[in-house]
Amino acid sequence: MSKLAAEDKFLDLSDYGRSFGRFFANQLKNTFFTPIHVTLLFGLSGLIAIYCILQQQYYFAAFFILLKSGIDAADGELARLKKTPSYFGRYLDSVFDIVLNFMFLMTICYVSKTSIWLTILAFIGIQLQGTLYNYYYVILRTKSVGGDSTSKIFEYKTPKALPGESQKSVTILFGIYTVLYGIFDKVIHFLDSDAYKVKTFPNWFMTLLSVYGLGFQLLIIAVMLPLGWIEFIIPFFIVYTLLIFALIGIRKKLLS
């Protein structure tokens, strides 16, 4: 099932792993594997990529980073195929993403001998980039087809566990999610608090916005590593963050 109505579909530059994710999910549809297993698997792929960076095996690191993106697309696809939506899985996926992002950058910081303060600044930038993308994308999904049952524009209250999952587990993971993502959500909502009032976003704008999706961010890292540009990764993402103001400006001026 598509997350968007036909007229709202756009070229998502961050979603290049979707085809692999859909294929992988279909292979697992009639097995005992659950979306949670797939989430754990993409976490493992990310850890292998980090080990490869430490060993300065950058081609292998790039492979496992891109594999992580493909597997990351599969857990949601499998949940839809098995009709097992899960708040636990939704928040676990997000927690893994932010932890791996931090570990990727800290590993790059260590290997490239970049300043840790610049690395922290780059991490904040990457999370703000991804939050802006997710903010507008979830708004579009909500306007388009009512959104996924586990995704909301504003997530301030612990959701009620869905059938088959523990309320305690959902509550704990939601608390972790709120701590890790809350400040970034608040910053983006502050910068564009009226975005949710827009009827829709045009396809060209969403395609432009998708350069801030996690998949595209990881693609940039996967390309820069084998090229021998590891020392430029942290500075790049700091500068790249400035595009946030241009995108929000376009939304406010042209899409209000």
Side-chain angles (χ1 to χ4, degrees):
M1 182 180 72
S2 174
K3 296 178 182 179
L4 296 170
E7 65 272 17
D8 291 321
K9 290 181 181 178
F10 62 95
L11 175 61
D12 189 340
L13 301 176
S14 73
D15 202 31
Y16 53 84
R18 182 64 52 186
S19 295
F20 173 82
R22 190 171 292 119
F23 168 80
F24 189 42
N26 272 290
Q27 307 314 303
L28 302 178
K29 180 173 60 174
N30 298 317
T31 71
F32 69 89
F33 284 98
T34 69
I36 302 300
H37 291 135
V38 177
T39 301
L40 295 174
L41 187 59
F42 92 62
L44 177 61
S45 182
L47 292 176
I48 294 173
I50 288 167
Y51 174 77
C52 291
I53 295 172
L54 287 170
Q55 299 300 312
Q56 299 184 32
Q57 297 293 325
Y58 297 141
Y59 284 97
F60 286 112
F63 171 79
F64 282 105
I65 287 172
L66 296 179
L67 180 62
K68 183 264 182 191
S69 291
I71 299 174
D72 196 358
D75 52 5
E77 291 289 344
L78 186 60
R80 283 183 283 276
L81 285 172
K82 291 197 170 191
K83 295 181 172 57
T84 55
S86 164
Y87 283 114
F88 180 87
R90 179 256 187 273
Y91 294 125
L92 183 66
D93 184 296
S94 295
V95 168
F96 271 27
D97 278 335
I98 194 170
V99 170
L100 285 172
N101 283 352
F102 184 76
M103 292 177 69
F104 281 139
L105 292 185
M106 283 301 167
T107 304
I108 290 168
C109 169
Y110 174 78
V111 174
S112 66
K113 298 180 174 58
T114 305
S115 162
I116 191 169
W117 297 111
L118 288 179
T119 303
I120 291 172
L121 186 59
F123 171 73
I124 292 171
I126 279 180
Q127 291 310 128
L128 288 174
Q129 295 165 28
T131 300
L132 182 68
Y133 169 77
N134 289 330
Y135 180 43
Y136 288 161
Y137 187 34
V138 173
I139 288 172
L140 182 65
R141 281 160 53 180
T142 303
K143 304 287 187 182
S144 177
V145 291
D148 287 346
S149 61
T150 55
S151 296
K152 295 178 175 61
I153 299 172
F154 303 105
E155 298 189 90
Y156 300 132
K157 186 170 69 173
T158 304
K160 182 178 179 181
L162 295 170
E165 60 180 354
S166 160
Q167 182 63 57
K168 182 179 180 180
S169 298
V170 171
T171 300
I172 291 172
L173 262 182
F174 178 75
I176 296 172
Y177 169 88
T178 302
V179 169
L180 295 176
Y181 283 95
I183 184 63
F184 303 111
D185 288 341
K186 286 181 173 61
V187 169
I188 294 301
H189 292 167
F190 172 77
L191 291 175
D192 194 2
S193 58
D194 292 330
Y196 72 96
K197 299 177 182 179
V198 177
K199 291 184 178 179
T200 189
F201 300 120
N203 295 346
W204 64 264
F205 177 74
M206 293 304 299
T207 295
L208 177 61
L209 179 68
S210 70
V211 300
Y212 268 175
L214 176 58
F216 199 80
Q217 292 170 333
L218 293 179
L219 178 62
I220 291 171
I221 295 174
V223 169
M224 294 182 79
L225 284 173
L227 290 175
W229 295 349
I230 188 169
E231 70 272 18
F232 298 118
I233 292 176
I234 301 302
F236 171 83
F237 279 107
I238 293 173
V239 175
Y240 197 48
T241 303
L242 298 177
L243 182 59
I244 284 177
F245 299 102
L247 290 168
I248 292 177
I250 290 171
R251 204 293 300 165
K252 289 184 174 181
K253 292 293 184 181
L254 302 180
L255 310 175
S256 57

